[in-house]
Amino acid sequence: MERPTAEAVGRGAGYVAGANVITSLIAFAFYAAAARILGTRGMGEVTMLFLVIGLYGAVGLLGANSAAARFAAYHSGSGSAGRAASAIVRSMELATAGSLASFVALAAASPWLSAALGIPERLVLLGLAAGLASNAGSALSGALQGLAMFGDISVQSVIASALSRIPAIALAIPLGPVGVAVAWALGPAAGALYAALRLRGRLGSRARARNADPVSLREILIFSAPLYVLSIISFLQGWLGISFLYAVSRSLEVTGAYYIASASAGILGIIYGALSTALLPAMSFRFGEAGHRGVAEALRSAEGIVVYVTLTASLAAAAASRPLLDLFYGSAYAPYAPEFSVLAGAAVVGALGSLYGTSLQSMGMTREWLVAGAASVGVLFGSLAALAPTAGAIGVAIAAVMGSATSLAVSYAYVRRRAGHAIALHPRKVSFAASVGAVVAIAQALAGYAHLHTVGSVAVDAVALVAAFAVLSRAMDPLEPWERTALLGAIPAALRPLAGALVGPRARGRGRNAE
């Protein structure tokens, strides 16, 4: 692994972001088609299927994917290629043992899961099979991440997404949710096979060094054990709200419609998820090379871009929530526009929380990350208990934001204390994002006043978004020159002229820390 530069991180994020754009488009196609083919009740069953897959990943992977990513990058930064390879091998052994043991245990509990979730037992068992394939893909993806093989991560992601979601649409027509479950096992299995083949050649060249300087399983477990608990916490963060909503409503229809709104808001994680993926090995490398100072430098470089991109996109999406849900999923899902607006509008909270969590992970502070996650779940559980019974789906959305805000606050406190990093307020970026969102909101209000059809309303919102972005980028100049360079470097070359026109010309006369 070569020393990571800002340009390399940008390229890495660009690879992953490009794959995320493709997989997100595929996901949109799947959700749009499945929402209409299966209806709200069928989507409720699919939601519970995904819950089973998520549960299996939480209890079975044992943090092995994160351990592979962190140790491979750290030992590469320390100049020990053999220990980097050994860490990957030990992490794969841990993932295999945990996944097989969890499969047996959860399969034995499938009758109880079936009754609790309101879905057939065969759907539970198919979900576990899909989870087994997903765990294999996640573990191998962690190894690719640790070796900074971002192009291969992107290919694996696209393979897994395309070969699960596209067949799922076709199989959902004759088989319903069962067809989705079958397809959901095919894609991750194909992606895992691709990753294994790519790693085989890379690790083979390091075999002699690996055997001469091995990493013990105990060393891996010390790091991954808190991450195992954290993976369960992450599962609760993602699925506790769905579980509460189903418990208070006892309606798969309500649960399925809310899941569509929630998953759609999650699409906004394209950029910050890609950036976090690229930053983990870069920060781990810099920590091995320069200690806490290296992590703080990488964090400062990423923070402003995350605020700029995520906040702008989230506020614009929140402003156009109802026509977007109606256009993509149908009128049955449009009433959940308020929930989508809450979750989308607060996406920047999750983005910054992810960024600080990556920083903690790169420094080996998994226990502190665990504390942040536990605090988040505690607040989430209390908020759900207070809001879900009376407010329903909107209460669940508000509780989710409160949980994310707690995780952000605790993670930031640890990062500031250990790495000396103080969050910047980025006033120009916040003002820019708010202004763009306000323009889209005004356009949406005018479209509603004119009683435009859904397609026309979305078209008006899109034109307003592009025009506001281009004009305000020049008027408000929200990006530092180096931020603009890094952002454009993460965009495919064919799209850079268009992106450059949108973000505006290179600023002059401002230093790196002008804001």
Side-chain angles (χ1 to χ4, degrees):
M1 179 179 176
E2 298 179 354
R3 186 180 187 279
T5 62
E7 290 78 14
V9 172
R11 284 195 302 273
Y15 285 133
V16 181
N20 284 355
V21 169
I22 295 172
T23 57
S24 294
L25 291 174
I26 295 172
F28 258 128
F30 165 74
Y31 285 127
R36 298 172 186 274
I37 293 170
L38 300 174
T40 54
R41 180 175 177 80
M43 281 308 304
E45 292 190 12
V46 168
T47 299
M48 294 307 175
L49 166 70
F50 293 162
L51 189 153
V52 170
I53 296 173
L55 174 63
Y56 180 75
V59 302
L61 201 50
L62 301 180
N65 55 336
S66 296
R70 196 264 175 177
F71 280 105
Y74 175 80
H75 288 303
S76 294
S78 300
S80 179
R83 287 183 67 79
S86 179
I88 290 175
V89 172
R90 292 291 179 266
S91 298
M92 297 305 102
E93 292 172 350
L94 181 63
T96 300
S99 294
L100 292 177
S102 298
F103 184 89
V104 173
L106 290 175
S110 61
W112 179 84
L113 288 171
S114 172
L117 300 178
I119 57 177
E121 186 176 350
R122 64 173 178 169
L123 202 56
V124 173
L125 293 173
L126 286 170
L128 294 178
L132 182 62
S134 180
N135 275 15
S138 295
L140 293 165
S141 179
L144 293 174
Q145 185 183 0
L147 297 175
M149 298 171 66
F150 296 113
D152 291 306
I153 292 175
S154 302
V155 174
Q156 179 196 4
S157 177
V158 172
I159 289 173
S161 178
L163 296 185
S164 59
R165 288 160 176 80
I166 294 175
I169 296 173
L171 293 176
I173 297 174
L175 299 177
V178 170
V180 175
V182 171
W184 234 253
L186 297 177
L193 177 61
Y194 170 82
L197 292 174
R198 295 294 297 153
L199 281 169
R200 182 180 179 183
R202 187 70 174 265
L203 294 180
S205 62
R206 304 183 180 196
R208 184 174 301 174
R210 180 184 73 231
N211 294 331
D213 191 14
V215 173
S216 68
L217 186 58
R218 181 178 180 274
E219 185 178 353
I220 298 294
L221 283 170
I222 289 174
F223 176 82
S224 68
L227 290 179
Y228 174 58
V229 180
L230 187 62
S231 68
I232 296 175
I233 289 175
S234 297
F235 168 77
L236 293 174
Q237 288 173 327
W239 290 100
L240 196 58
I242 292 288
S243 302
F244 256 86
L245 184 58
Y246 180 67
V248 299
S249 68
R250 302 306 299 178
S251 169
L252 287 172
E253 289 84 353
V254 171
T255 305
Y258 175 81
Y259 175 77
I260 285 290
S262 176
S264 299
I267 297 295
L268 294 170
I270 289 175
I271 298 297
Y272 74 80
L275 190 59
S276 293
T277 299
L279 277 174
L280 176 58
M283 284 182 173
S284 297
F285 189 104
R286 293 285 289 135
F287 184 61
E289 181 185 59
H292 298 102
R293 178 177 56 83
V295 174
E297 290 172 355
L299 187 55
R300 279 192 292 271
S301 298
E303 191 180 70
I305 295 176
V306 167
V307 171
Y308 169 75
V309 174
T310 307
L311 189 60
T312 305
S314 65
L315 293 181
S321 58
R322 180 171 287 272
L324 286 174
L325 291 179
D326 192 358
L327 176 66
F328 284 105
Y329 308 117
S331 58
Y333 300 88
Y336 292 83
E339 289 80 2
F340 174 82
S341 294
V342 169
L343 295 170
V348 71
V349 176
L352 290 174
S354 174
L355 189 60
Y356 295 132
T358 298
S359 303
L360 292 176
Q361 187 177 344
S362 70
M363 294 183 287
M365 298 174 64
T366 52
R367 291 180 178 83
E368 288 79 2
W369 196 14
L370 175 60
V371 171
S376 170
V377 169
V379 170
L380 174 61
F381 187 89
S383 302
L384 286 169
L387 297 174
T390 55
I394 190 67
V396 172
I398 294 172
V401 174
M402 293 174 68
S404 295
T406 302
S407 179
L408 166 61
V410 176
S411 298
Y412 169 67
Y414 280 126
V415 170
R416 180 168 185 173
R417 186 174 69 182
R418 182 63 63 88
H421 171 75
I423 188 172
L425 296 179
H426 304 285
R428 286 200 316 278
K429 296 178 179 63
V430 173
S431 299
F432 171 80
S435 299
V436 172
V439 170
V440 176
I442 292 171
Q444 177 54 39
L446 292 175
Y449 180 77
H451 302 291
L452 293 181
H453 189 270
T454 298
V455 175
S457 181
V458 171
V460 168
D461 293 339
V463 171
L465 171 63
V466 172
F469 201 102
V471 172
L472 293 175
S473 288
R474 288 161 173 76
M476 303 181 73
D477 196 14
L479 290 176
E480 301 293 337
W482 63 270
E483 289 174 334
R484 183 183 188 278
T485 299
L487 184 62
L488 292 179
I491 295 174
L495 299 178
R496 282 177 198 162
L498 176 61
L502 286 175
V503 302
R506 185 186 300 272
R508 298 179 180 178
R510 282 200 276 118
R512 186 180 178 91
N513 299 313
E515 195 167 48

